[in-house]
Amino acid sequence: MRPAAFALAGILAIASGAPAASPPAVGTGIEAPRGAQLSGPELDKRTEDIGALLRCPVCQGLSVADSPATMARNMKAEVREKLAKGYDQEQILAYFERSYGEFVRLDPPMRGVNWLVWFGPLAVLLAGGAVIAWVMRRSRRQAGATEPREVAIAAPADSDPPSRDTVPADPRLAAAVRRVRMLAYGWPQGVPPKAAS
Amino acid sequence: MATARPSRINGKVVIAGLAITLPLLGVLVANLGRDPHSVRSPLIGRPAPAFSLVPVGGGAPLSLENLRGKPVVINFWATWCVPCFEEHAALTAAARGLPDVQFLGIVYEDEEARTQDFLQQRPSPYPSLIDSEGKAAIAYGVFGVPETFFIDGNGRIVDKHVGPMTRSTIAALATKAKEGAR
Amino acid sequence: MVPILGRILILLALLAASAGALVGFATGMRPNAAGWKWARRLAYAFAAFMVLANLTMEYALLTHDFSVSYVAHVGSRRVPTWVSIVSLWSSLEGSILFWGLVMGVYIAVATSRNANRHPEYMPYAVGVWLACGAFFSFLLAGPAQPFATVPNPALDGPGPNPLLQNHYLMVIHPPFLYSGYVGMTIPFGLACAALLVGRLGNDFIRPLRNFLLLSWIFLTCAIVLGGWWAYEVLGWGGYWAWDPVENASFLPWLTATAALHSALLVERKGVLKGWTVVLVLATYLLTILGTFMTRSGVFNSVHSFTQSAIGPTILVFLAAALVFSLVLLALRVDTLGAEGRLETGPSRDVIFLVQNLLFVLFTFTVLLGTVFPLVVEAVRGVQMSVGRPYFDRMSVPVGVALLFVMGVGPALPWGRATAQQMRSALLPPLLSALLLAIAGLVLGVRNPWTLLALFFGGFTAQVTLSEMFLPVRQRMRSHGERFAEAFRQAQVRGRRRFGAYVVHAGAILAIVSIAVSSTMGSSKEVQLNKGESSTLGPYTLTFVQAEQVTDPHRESVQARVDISKNGRSLGALYPRMSQYENQREQIGSPAVRSSLTEDLYVSIHNIDSASVGLLVLINPMVSWIWIATAIMALGGLVALVPSLRGAAATAPGPVPATPIAIEGSP
C-alpha cells in the first residue's frame, strides 16, 4: 500500500467518519479555487493522496495513484495542476465525478443509501457486543442454578475407569486430583494440555 | 441413527439467516447479466465541456464555443484502434451527407506523426484535433475508443455512443442533436 | 478420442457422486454396514474418476491436442512445458476440473481416515460431500464442459493469459488456493453430519477441527502467495488491493479462523457448539460465494474470468446450499446442547467471544464493501465503487484490535481471574509493548495506528513467547529437568498448544510488518535518460541501457538499472515491458531487490532506447510478511501433526453399545 494512502486512512479513522458529501458540480466548470496553492513536496504528497481516492477508469480497480496507464497518468497530471492552482480535494473529486460519474470515486461519499456501508459495520459491532453481553448474563444465571464447574470435560459414567481426561464427580476430590496433576505433570491448573486426544 | 426427537424450529436462526441471505441473494440475482465494465455517462443532458485544441498537422486551435449554434458530433479515436478504423468510412460519409452538422475528431493517446500518416492515406472532410495531455478525454469521461458525443446547437450533450457506429446510427443520433436545439 | 474419454470420465464421476450421496444419506438415516461400505466405495470411485479426468486433460495439454475445447482455448505449442502443465488451472473450465480433482482427493482421504470411526456421522458426511461433488461434476458435464470436441482443430492455440506466464508463482498459488478453498468442503460435511445426527461430542469435534486446520493452513499460504504474486507481477508496488476476488479468498479465511478458536471452546468447555457449526457452514458457503464472484462476471475485478454461463448455475447451488444449511440449523442447532458453562467474569472465555466478534465484524465489513456497488446499482441505479481507501480505513482498527486480544486472551487464565492474577498477567508485557513502541518512534514511525500496532505487537509478543514456553518452565521447576529435556517432554504432551502459539507469533509478525510496510515506505516517479541517475533514500539508480529480449512467446524490452546504496554498488535490476503475442497491451514486470529490512522495487511506466520512465518504491519489512506466513503455516502443521498421528495410534474409547460398531467391517 502506498504510505500516503495508509496515512490518509490512519487519519480518517472511523471516528472522523466518512468524507463530506457534496453533489457533483453543475455548470460549465467548477467554481473558483477554494484552497491554497500548493507546490514542492506538499504538492507531490497531496497529488498522491487524491490520486489514491480516484479510480483509474480503464484499469481493474487500481487507483489513479497506482496505475501506470496513460489515462491514469493524465488524470494524475490534471490533479497536480488543479492542486497547484489552489483547488481543494472535494472540488477536484467533483470535477472527475462530473465526467465519469460516482464510479470514479474509490471512497464512497455519504450520499443516498451509501450510509449503509459506513454504519453497517458499526451496527454489527454494537449488535455483537449486545449478544455477548446477553450470553454472559444467561451464563451467569445458569451458574446461579447449578454448581459451577471450572473444567467442563464431563465426568463419565461411574463404571468407567478414571483417565487423564476426567475428574471424579466429587468436587473436593476433583480439586485434589487437579492439584496433584498440576504438581506432578506441570499442567496449568491441573487441566490436561490440548493435545489430549 | 434416526432419533425420534421433536423438531422444534429455532426462530432466531430462521430470522437471522433470512435477514442475511435473502438480501445477499437478491442483490446477486438482480445484477446477473449486467456488465460491470460498461459505465453510463453522467454527462448526457449536461453542457459539453469546453476545450481548445490544435488540429492534426498544425493550425489555429479550434474551440467548442466557436461552433455554438450548430449541432456538433465529436468522435474520440486513435490509429491503434481497430473499430475506429472500421467506422472511419461511415463517419466520413455521414459528414459529407450532413452539411449542417459539424463533425470533429479528437485523437486519444496517440502520436501526431501516426495520425498524420493515417489521415493522409484516408482523408477526412472534417478536422481531427490532438488531445496532447488527455484533458479533453478526461473532461468528457472517455473510457476508451471509439466514443462519440452528440451535442446540440446550445452546447448540450444529447447522447453518447460507445463503440463503432454505422451510418444509420450516426444519422439517427445527429438528428437527435439537431432537434435538441429547438 | 480424448474428448470422448474425458466426457465419459466426468459422467462417471457425476454418477458415482450422485449415487454415493443418496446411499450416504440413506445409510445415515438407517445405519447398516453394507450401506456404509457402498458409500465409501462410491466416494473412492468419484475420486478416481476425477483424478483420471484431470490426468486426461493434462495429457491433452501436453500433447497439444487441439480437438479438446479447453486445449484449443488455452493451449499453445510455443509456451514452455511448465506453462502447459499449469494451463490446467489457468482458465475457467480447467479450473473447475482442477476443483473436482482436489475435492476428490480430499473426500477420499477424509473417508479413508474415518472409515472405522464415528459410524453414526460418517455416512451423512460422505453424503454431503458427494452431493457437493455431484454439483461440480454436473458443472463439468454441462455448463463448464472442458472436453467438448472441436470439429476442425486448429494447428495451434493462443496460450493462457500472459499475466499467468509471467512468474513461477503461478505454479503454486492456485494449487494452494484450491487445497484451502475446496478443503473447506470436508468440515462442512462433518458439521452437517453433526447437525443431522443431533450431537457434537468431543470425539467428533476432532476430525472437524483437524480438517478445518489443514484447509486453513493451505488457505493462509494461498492468500499470501496471491499477494506476493500481485507484488512481483503486477507492478503497482503493493500486495493487496481489496479486489473482489482477493476478498473472496479472504472471507472464508476469516470465518475459518474464528471457527478454529470457537472449536477450542467446544473441546474445553463443551460450549458454543451451535456457533462453531454456524461458522463452519458459513465458511463453506463463503467459498461458494467466492467462486460465484470470480466466475460470474458480475464483479469488476482484476481476476475476473470472462463472463460465462455458469454464473447463474453456481448461484442456484449457493441458494440451495444456503437453504439447506438454514433449515438444518433451524431444526437442529438446539439439539447440540452445551455441556458446560462459559465463565462470565474477566477470563479467557470472554476474550474468545470478543475475538470471534471481531472476526465476524471483519467478515461482514469486507463482504458488505465488496457487494455494496451491486446494492447501490439495484437501489439507486448509480454505479459507484468501494475501493481501497474504504477497506483500509475499516480493516486497520479491526486488525489492531485483534492484535490486542491476541495478547490479552492467552495472558488471562481460563477460570475467573482475580484482580491479582490479572495484574500479574497483564502488567509485565507492557514492558515489551513500550520498548517496541519507543523503538518505532526512534526509527521514525509517526503514524498513530502503526505506533499502536507496535505497542500491541510488543505486548502480544511477550505474552505469546511466555505462554509458548510455560509448560517447559513448569517442567523445569517441578521435575528439575534441564531446558532441552523439558522442552522435548512438553512437546510430546502439548504440541498442539505450542503450535498454536507459533501461529500467533507469525500473526503478530505479519500484522506489524503490514503496518510498517504500509506507512513507512517512500516512492518516486522519474524519467531517466540513458546514463542518468536518480536517488531515493539511500539508493541511487542509474539507467544504463535498454535491452531487447526475445522469448518464444514474448518480446520484451528490458531496462538495465544499476543500483548502489550509500555509494556501494549492489548490482543491477532488470524491470521489463513485455509484448505477448495475441495481446494488444504490453505487460510490465517489476524488478524487486529484497532484503530483510526493505525492498527496493522498480517498475517501468514507459521505455524506449533513449529513456525510461520508472516507478521506484522503497517498501520496508515486506520480506517479513512472507516469513511470517511461513511461520504461521509451520505452526499450523506442528499443531496438526500430533493430532493426526495420535488419533491413529490411540484406539477409540470404550465401545459404545450400538449395533453399528459391531457390524461395521472395512
Side-chain angles (χ1 to χ4, degrees):
Chain A
M1 299 200 293
R2 302 297 281 276
F6 193 95
L8 184 68
I11 294 165
L12 291 175
I14 287 185
S16 16
S22 74
V26 281
T28 49
I30 54 182
E31 311 79 27
R34 286 203 293 249
Q37 297 179 350
L38 299 178
S39 60
E42 171 80 19
L43 177 62
D44 290 337
K45 183 178 159 330
R46 287 298 290 154
T47 308
E48 290 294 317
D49 289 350
I50 298 184
L53 296 176
L54 285 168
R55 182 175 192 156
C56 162
V58 300
C59 320
Q60 298 275 34
L62 279 183
S63 73
V64 160
D66 292 334
S67 166
T70 315
M71 169 69 86
R73 298 219 307 275
N74 290 341
M75 284 171 80
K76 206 162 159 185
E78 185 96 37
V79 169
R80 173 183 276 269
E81 198 185 294
K82 293 209 150 46
L83 277 171
K85 288 206 193 110
Y87 290 96
D88 68 16
Q89 171 167 314
E90 204 43 48
Q91 286 181 304
I92 297 179
L93 292 177
Y95 172 73
F96 287 101
E97 196 174 338
R98 207 171 51 98
S99 315
Y100 286 101
E102 209 173 313
F103 172 80
V104 80
R105 295 180 74 145
L106 279 175
D107 209 1
M110 194 75 79
R111 206 179 287 163
V113 78
N114 290 4
W115 60 266
L116 188 60
V117 84
W118 289 105
F119 293 113
L122 190 61
V124 165
L125 181 63
L126 293 174
V131 165
I132 292 183
W134 175 77
V135 166
M136 294 278 95
R137 209 172 309 136
R138 189 182 64 171
S139 218
R140 205 171 294 138
R141 252 184 286 126
Q142 280 175 357
T146 64
E147 192 164 327
R149 288 176 288 179
E150 284 164 26
V151 176
I153 299 173
D158 286 329
S159 55
D160 288 34
S163 70
R164 70 197 296 272
D165 289 347
T166 63
V167 289
D170 179 22
R172 263 180 43 239
L173 209 51
V177 167
R178 276 197 289 274
R179 180 148 174 79
V180 164
R181 285 173 176 168
M182 189 178 87
L183 293 170
Y185 307 132
W187 296 347
Q189 290 163 27
V191 176
K194 289 185 270 298
S197 36
Chain B
M1 73 185 83
T3 34
R5 205 177 288 118
S7 285
R8 282 168 304 124
I9 300 185
N10 186 325
K12 287 190 295 270
V13 165
V14 174
I15 292 176
L18 288 178
I20 296 173
T21 56
L22 280 184
L24 181 64
L25 283 177
V27 161
L28 294 176
V29 169
N31 278 277
L32 270 179
R34 186 185 70 82
D35 178 11
H37 299 281
S38 71
V39 184
R40 293 178 296 278
S41 172
L43 284 174
I44 297 181
R46 293 255 179 85
F51 58 81
S52 179
L53 299 173
V54 174
V56 174
L62 243 174
S63 73
L64 189 59
E65 284 140 7
N66 295 351
L67 303 167
R68 185 64 71 97
K70 229 180 155 188
V72 181
V73 175
I74 302 182
N75 171 255
F76 283 85
W77 66 284
T79 59
W80 45 259
C81 151
V82 174
C84 307
F85 179 71
E86 286 164 6
E87 72 172 355
H88 182 83
L91 278 167
T92 316
R96 294 212 178 93
L98 295 163
D100 51 344
V101 174
Q102 172 71 50
F103 279 71
L104 273 183
I106 297 189
V107 181
Y108 171 86
E109 290 183 16
D110 209 339
E111 292 158 35
E112 173 135 20
R114 289 176 52 155
T115 42
Q116 279 187 308
D117 283 341
F118 183 93
L119 290 171
Q120 258 159 17
Q121 290 172 16
R122 298 167 202 83
S124 180
Y126 57 84
S128 272
L129 311 176
I130 296 276
D131 184 22
S132 49
E133 285 163 6
K135 286 182 185 265
I138 292 173
Y140 278 78
V142 169
F143 281 80
V145 282
E147 284 184 15
T148 314
F149 292 83
F150 294 82
I151 305 169
D152 68 15
N154 293 330
R156 205 160 276 275
I157 299 179
V158 299
D159 211 340
K160 167 185 173 182
H161 186 95
V162 174
M165 298 178 293
T166 58
R167 223 184 130 190
S168 47
T169 319
I170 305 173
L173 290 172
T175 314
K176 201 170 160 186
K178 282 194 269 188
E179 287 165 2
R182 279 186 233 117
Chain C
M1 175 26 210
V2 168
I4 297 177
L5 175 63
R7 289 206 293 276
I8 291 178
L9 286 170
I10 290 182
L11 273 175
L12 286 173
L14 176 60
L15 281 172
S18 314
L22 289 170
V23 171
F25 280 114
T27 312
M29 293 195 288
R30 213 161 288 173
N32 63 89
W36 177 224
K37 187 164 66 174
W38 276 102
R40 288 202 320 270
R41 284 184 181 166
L42 288 166
Y44 298 141
F46 168 73
F49 290 133
M50 272 300 174
V51 168
L52 286 173
N54 274 267
L55 287 176
T56 309
M57 182 54 86
E58 280 290 14
Y59 174 75
L61 281 167
L62 286 169
T63 58
H64 306 297
D65 184 346
F66 292 103
S67 68
V68 177
S69 61
Y70 184 67
V71 181
H73 193 145
V74 299
S76 168
R77 291 185 202 278
R78 277 161 304 174
V79 296
T81 310
W82 69 271
V83 174
S84 287
I85 298 177
V86 155
S87 306
L88 173 64
W89 51 76
S90 75
S91 185
L92 188 51
E93 299 92 4
S95 68
I96 303 209
L97 187 60
F98 188 60
W99 184 299
L101 170 71
V102 178
M103 190 185 274
V105 170
Y106 260 110
I107 293 178
V109 169
T111 308
S112 89
R113 280 196 71 81
N114 293 297
N116 298 322
R117 269 180 244 152
H118 315 297
E120 318 106 302
Y121 298 98
M122 283 311 297
Y124 277 130
V126 169
V128 172
W129 295 334
L130 287 179
C132 299
F135 171 70
F136 280 93
S137 309
F138 167 72
L139 269 185
L140 287 167
Q145 173 63 270
F147 283 108
T149 313
V150 177
N152 297 310
L155 291 173
D156 201 350
N161 188 327
L163 270 180
L164 304 176
Q165 300 180 43
N166 238 351
H167 201 279
Y168 285 107
L169 270 176
M170 188 49 197
V171 180
I172 49 174
H173 166 60
F176 267 81
L177 182 67
Y178 280 69
S179 301
Y181 229 55
V182 180
M184 295 300 175
T185 314
I186 306 296
F188 175 71
L190 294 172
C192 286
L195 284 173
L196 284 163
V197 169
R199 204 166 58 242
L200 181 59
N202 265 20
D203 54 336
F204 197 59
I205 196 82
R206 205 180 323 126
L208 183 67
R209 190 236 315 145
N210 282 345
F211 277 100
L212 190 61
L213 181 57
L214 179 65
S215 307
W216 180 93
I217 295 172
F218 279 119
L219 192 55
T220 308
C221 293
I223 292 172
V224 176
L225 280 171
W228 194 3
W229 185 69
Y231 185 68
E232 295 265 335
V233 171
L234 292 183
W236 58 279
Y239 41 80
W240 192 261
W242 298 104
D243 179 88
V245 171
E246 286 173 333
N247 296 347
S249 68
F250 190 50
L251 287 167
W253 183 89
L254 288 170
T255 51
T257 311
L260 281 170
H261 287 84
S262 156
L264 196 62
L265 274 181
V266 172
E267 256 181 295
R268 288 199 76 100
K269 304 214 159 187
V271 293
L272 294 188
K273 293 186 186 179
W275 176 242
T276 307
V277 164
V278 166
L279 284 172
V280 171
L281 295 182
T283 304
Y284 179 70
L285 293 169
L286 283 169
T287 63
I288 301 299
L289 175 65
T291 215
F292 173 75
M293 292 197 322
T294 316
R295 298 165 200 282
S296 65
V298 167
F299 287 83
N300 200 333
S301 156
V302 171
H303 288 73
S304 297
F305 293 92
T306 45
Q307 278 184 320
S308 74
I310 79 169
T313 319
I314 298 184
L315 194 55
V316 167
F317 179 63
L318 176 63
L322 273 170
V323 166
F324 176 71
S325 308
L326 266 183
V327 166
L328 207 51
L329 278 172
L331 288 176
R332 290 298 174 88
V333 75
D334 290 329
T335 68
L336 293 180
E339 287 163 26
R341 191 183 62 84
L342 272 175
E343 186 56 61
T344 56
S347 66
R348 212 180 286 192
D349 308 40
V350 178
I351 302 292
F352 259 76
L353 290 181
V354 171
Q355 175 252 44
N356 257 229
L357 172 62
L358 285 171
F359 272 111
V360 168
L361 177 66
F362 207 168
T363 309
F364 175 77
T365 308
V366 173
L367 183 58
L368 182 63
T370 308
V371 166
F372 204 66
L374 303 188
V375 171
V376 172
E377 172 89 29
V379 170
R380 281 172 60 205
V382 164
Q383 281 159 308
M384 51 90 78
S385 310
V386 177
R388 249 178 65 198
Y390 170 82
F391 287 108
D392 285 347
R393 183 185 308 114
M394 291 302 192
S395 60
V396 165
V398 174
V400 169
L402 277 171
L403 189 57
F404 176 63
V405 294
M406 216 194 308
V408 173
L412 291 178
W414 278 108
R416 181 184 290 263
T418 63
Q420 159 70 13
Q421 279 175 314
M422 276 175 50
R423 265 201 306 273
S424 62
L426 296 177
L427 287 184
L430 284 175
L431 177 67
S432 294
L434 280 169
L435 279 177
L436 202 57
I438 290 173
L441 273 171
V442 162
L443 290 171
V445 178
R446 294 290 175 266
N447 182 303
W449 284 107
T450 311
L451 284 171
L452 201 57
L454 285 170
F455 183 78
F456 288 147
F459 182 89
T460 306
Q462 181 167 335
V463 170
T464 305
L465 286 170
S466 164
E467 286 295 310
M468 214 189 275
F469 292 102
L470 177 67
V472 181
R473 288 202 308 275
Q474 284 179 335
R475 285 196 73 87
M476 286 169 69
R477 232 194 340 250
S478 56
H479 291 227
E481 286 169 354
R482 300 224 325 268
F483 178 83
E485 177 63 25
F487 184 79
R488 210 177 62 80
Q489 287 295 329
Q491 282 292 292
V492 168
R493 295 161 211 279
R495 194 172 298 158
R496 193 176 130 198
R497 182 178 183 277
F498 184 78
Y501 282 116
V502 171
V503 175
H504 275 195
I508 299 167
L509 188 56
I511 296 179
V512 168
S513 308
I514 290 174
V516 168
S517 74
S518 309
T519 55
M520 296 296 294
S522 46
S523 74
K524 185 174 189 174
E525 275 183 41
V526 67
Q527 192 78 24
L528 291 176
N529 291 321
K530 207 164 160 176
E532 230 187 308
S533 295
S534 180
T535 57
L536 179 63
Y539 295 96
T540 308
L541 298 97
T542 312
F543 173 46
V544 174
Q545 61 181 14
E547 299 159 351
Q548 200 90 5
V549 178
T550 309
D551 287 312
H553 53 295
R554 67 179 175 212
E555 277 280 331
S556 314
V557 180
Q558 198 166 269
R560 182 177 151 178
V561 180
D562 279 353
I563 312 289
S564 71
K565 183 175 182 178
N566 295 325
R568 217 181 70 241
S569 165
L570 293 178
L573 286 177
Y574 295 92
R576 222 176 50 215
M577 244 332 186
S578 303
Q579 178 73 55
Y580 286 83
E581 304 171 323
N582 314 310
Q583 299 281 324
R584 182 176 83 77
E585 299 280 352
Q586 287 190 320
I587 295 181
S589 308
V592 186
R593 186 181 175 281
S594 303
S595 74
L596 279 183
T597 38
E598 63 201 2
D599 281 8
L600 178 66
Y601 187 102
V602 181
S603 91
I604 298 184
H605 276 182
N606 56 277
I607 183 169
D608 55 47
S609 50
S611 85
V612 68
L614 291 175
L615 169 68
V616 185
L617 298 167
I618 296 183
N619 295 321
M621 281 192 82
V622 170
S623 303
W624 285 105
I625 301 177
W626 323 132
I627 295 174
T629 311
I631 295 177
M632 286 204 280
L634 197 64
L637 283 172
V638 167
L640 187 63
V641 166
S643 304
L644 296 177
R645 246 191 286 127
T650 56
V655 175
T658 57
I660 307 96
I662 300 171
E663 283 177 20
S665 51

